[in-house]
Amino acid sequence: MVPGLLQTRGYASAVCQHRSGMTDDERERPVEVRLQRQALLRRRLPPPPRFDVMLSEAVLLRVVGGPATMAEQLRHLVEMGRLPHVSIRVVPLAAGLHFGAVAGAFVLLDFPPGNRVEPEPSVVYSESLTGALYLDRKEELAAYERIWASLDSLALDEGQSRRLITKISEEVHHG
């Protein structure tokens, strides 16, 4: 899926529609929280964090909420990728099976030193249907850093990624 910090309302709502046993109001709450959290990427002070994203091309092709929702979502990705602190790159399907596909979705969190002599150690965050994992052991972190490096070598650059996102929006989702 598209990471929550980059989801449009329509995409986020479609994702939350699959949560069973919830009222419409209960489904709307995580959508609102997700959209509020996105202000982080557009704030001025303190400066927004660096946000590097690797997306599988399959994420761009998978219909979530219908063609209009997907076209809007992909246009939003292109717009957000133009922010100086946001990098969105696509790992093409032609890359085949790779470490990132096996590992699944994850986030590497690196923390600025701030006023500390030693910065907080990096953490791997992995969310699933029933909860989330925070991995902070050196060998776990090293494994995910290797996966990220592998994705970095397979992914299109930002310009190529932007062109592919636009092409899929127009040709597949008729946006």
Side-chain angles (χ1 to χ4, degrees):
M1 291 190 314
V2 170
L5 285 177
L6 297 174
Q7 291 178 4
T8 60
R9 176 179 291 281
Y11 189 98
S13 294
V15 168
C16 290
Q17 289 302 312
H18 294 286
R19 296 182 178 188
S20 60
M22 297 174 81
T23 67
D24 288 344
D25 287 344
E26 290 170 330
R27 282 191 197 99
E28 186 61 22
R29 178 73 182 128
V31 172
E32 287 302 322
V33 169
R34 190 165 291 175
L35 295 174
Q36 289 170 8
R37 199 175 290 147
Q38 292 176 4
L40 173 78
L41 293 177
R42 294 206 186 256
R43 74 183 184 200
R44 293 192 185 273
L45 293 173
R50 176 85 194 146
F51 190 49
D52 296 321
V53 176
M54 299 278 185
L55 294 174
S56 168
E57 183 179 350
V59 168
L60 309 174
L61 296 166
R62 183 177 298 111
V63 177
V64 175
T69 298
M70 286 305 299
E72 176 189 32
Q73 177 61 66
L74 297 188
R75 284 191 302 271
H76 182 67
L77 287 175
V78 169
E79 175 189 332
M80 293 300 290
R82 287 195 167 102
L83 294 173
H85 55 281
V86 176
S87 170
I88 300 173
R89 295 177 55 208
V90 177
V91 179
L93 290 172
L97 186 61
H98 51 81
F99 289 129
V102 174
F106 67 93
V107 178
L108 279 172
L109 297 166
D110 293 317
F111 304 99
N115 294 332
R116 311 183 110 203
V117 174
E118 287 284 321
E120 290 288 327
S122 298
V123 174
V124 176
Y125 171 78
S126 178
E127 189 174 339
S128 70
L129 180 64
T130 58
L133 291 172
Y134 292 90
L135 307 171
D136 59 1
R137 294 194 334 241
K138 287 185 184 196
E139 61 275 7
E140 294 168 331
L141 186 59
Y144 281 92
E145 286 173 336
R146 283 191 301 274
I147 292 166
W148 186 264
S150 171
L151 292 172
D152 187 52
S153 71
L154 295 171
L156 303 173
D157 68 30
E158 289 180 55
Q160 293 167 325
S161 295
R162 201 170 10 261
R163 287 188 290 281
L164 179 59
I165 293 167
T166 300
K167 180 179 179 183
I168 290 172
S169 174
E170 293 170 353
E171 295 179 6
V172 176
H173 304 297
H174 310 292

